[in-house]
Amino acid sequence: MSSKRSAFDAKADVKRGLRVGVVGAGVMGSNHARVLAGLPGVTLVGIVDPLPEHRARATALAGCRAFAELDELFDEGVDAVTIAAPTHLHHEIALACITRNIHILVEKPVASTVEEGQDIVNAARSAGVTLMVGHVERFNPAVAAIKQAISGEDILSIGITRVGPFPPRMSNVGVVIDLAVHDIDLIRWFTESDIVEVQPQLSSAVAEREDIALLQFRTASGVLAHINTNWLTPFKARSVTVATRGKYVMGDLLTRQVTECFGFKPDGSYSMRHLPVGHDEPLRAELIAFLDAVRTGNVPAVSGDEGVASLEIAIRCLEQPAKPAASAVRMGPRRIAG
């Protein structure tokens, strides 16, 4: 596809098959390439990364060409691109693609700042190209089962735990942007409501940036939610609990087991059942959803506006100071004279 052609022409062309590229050949980008290489109706044109070792790994994993410069990928002609480069490069890369009427999926977080994220959204809307944000946890079959179980329910509270060991890759962000932004998105998606109150508690135990975060929220619909996340747990744990007026749903996002408690009786008894959960690879389901939006022109599963909204809440968690305790002095228990 010529980079100078209109977005209308681009959407007409993609019906004949999609030429797709990947920007960023780290762990996530390499997985994007692997999945895209196996999708029907898709030609993986190549992957872009400045580091030779990254390009070599991606080529071995996906069997595709690798380029050092973004313009080399553009010269080959692409209809769509997935952006899995470092976050601080998202804005520049996304605008370069949009200028050429190339549809984009941008990995979370959509950008480094709300302003940059909104800039991407506005540019995509003006150009008429598809923009989707890669909040892949929405495509976890366990998350989908939870969403279905609470559909139409009066949600009261949500609790999410996302913990694990310190990541092997050094990052310029802490746990809020790296991990909690997933769950901020899930809270907004589960409740279909904006987050209006934020109460963060952050700590840096071993890292330069926060590696422990306890985050509390209230949505516009009145739901109370909290996220517990850290890089100090020796094993990974990913769990979600949702309390509604009629049921209590528990999900393990790693084992993909979802349990529903319901039929509460005055004597404290209740019924319990395990819900059916699919087996799709979340990344594959996400990329299929993106390409479907490109082909049809429909609103993508995770819009740019949704990605910016979740980023804005995450940044508020980092910027809002914790409330001080009522008294700086802690009194010990009184001794009882006897």
Side-chain angles (χ1 to χ4, degrees):
M1 181 184 75
S2 170
S3 62
K4 296 182 180 179
R5 301 178 68 184
S6 69
F8 178 83
D9 290 335
K11 288 192 175 181
D13 279 354
V14 298
K15 294 179 180 179
R16 296 183 286 115
L18 286 171
R19 292 176 60 81
V20 184
V22 178
V23 182
V27 174
M28 182 57 75
S30 296
N31 280 319
H32 276 227
R34 170 186 59 80
V35 172
L36 288 167
L39 293 181
V42 173
T43 298
L44 177 60
V45 177
I47 189 166
V48 180
D49 198 286
L51 298 178
E53 60 271 27
H54 282 189
R55 296 198 299 271
R57 177 179 60 193
T59 298
L61 186 65
C64 65
R65 298 176 64 187
F67 309 102
E69 301 289 340
L70 187 58
D71 283 341
E72 296 179 74
L73 177 66
F74 291 154
D75 289 343
E76 294 296 319
V78 287
D79 300 301
V81 161
T82 68
I83 301 173
T87 302
H88 70 277
L89 299 175
H90 286 186
H91 181 254
E92 176 185 354
I93 296 169
L95 293 186
C97 293
I98 292 169
T99 299
R100 293 164 174 81
N101 295 310
I102 296 170
H103 308 284
I104 53 174
L105 180 145
V106 185
E107 269 297 341
K108 67 83 191 168
V110 63
S112 296
T113 67
V114 172
E115 292 74 21
E116 287 188 350
Q118 194 61 55
D119 198 22
I120 296 171
V121 170
N122 293 341
R125 184 174 294 127
S126 178
V129 305
T130 297
L131 164 63
M132 179 166 157
V133 181
H135 281 284
V136 70
E137 199 70 279
R138 284 204 202 180
F139 299 88
N140 185 318
V143 169
I146 294 169
K147 174 72 170 176
Q148 183 175 2
I150 63 176
S151 177
E153 292 284 324
D154 184 7
I155 302 173
L156 302 176
S157 68
I158 299 172
I160 303 179
T161 296
R162 185 179 298 271
V163 297
F166 197 84
R169 69 190 191 285
M170 294 303 294
S171 176
N172 61 349
V173 298
V175 291
V176 172
I177 297 296
D178 191 53
L179 297 182
V181 72
H182 279 296
D183 304 311
I184 291 170
D185 176 71
L186 291 185
I187 290 168
R188 298 183 69 257
W189 190 51
F190 284 152
T191 63
E192 299 179 4
S193 179
D194 289 330
I195 292 172
V196 295
E197 292 183 28
V198 174
Q199 295 181 7
Q201 294 289 341
L202 310 175
S203 179
S204 301
V206 298
E208 181 179 349
R209 296 182 182 268
E210 84 286 350
D211 49 24
I212 305 173
L214 300 175
L215 311 174
Q216 292 183 307
F217 308 97
R218 184 188 297 271
T219 70
S221 58
V223 176
L224 298 181
H226 71 265
I227 298 171
N228 169 27
T229 186
N230 69 57
W231 280 331
L232 303 178
T233 307
F235 54 86
K236 280 188 176 182
R238 307 281 188 268
S239 64
V240 175
T241 59
V242 182
T244 78
R245 292 198 183 276
K247 61 180 66 174
Y248 186 78
V249 181
M250 303 171 287
D252 187 316
L253 306 190
L254 295 181
T255 64
R256 299 183 183 177
Q257 293 180 317
V258 178
T259 303
E260 179 182 79
C261 303
F262 61 99
F264 304 108
K265 307 294 185 187
D267 63 1
S269 63
Y270 58 88
S271 300
M272 180 182 293
R273 63 186 172 198
H274 296 295
L275 301 181
V277 178
H279 300 284
D280 292 345
E281 179 186 1
L283 180 59
R284 187 175 188 274
E286 177 186 64
L287 292 175
I288 289 174
F290 166 59
L291 298 176
D292 181 65
V294 170
R295 290 186 176 101
T296 63
N298 293 336
V299 176
V302 186
S303 70
D305 287 325
E306 290 177 296
V308 171
S310 293
L311 173 62
E312 191 271 334
I313 295 299
I315 291 176
R316 278 176 57 189
C317 290
L318 296 174
E319 293 178 344
Q320 183 167 322
K323 293 182 179 180
S327 173
V329 180
R330 296 189 63 185
M331 302 297 293
R334 292 184 180 180
R335 176 175 297 176
I336 300 176

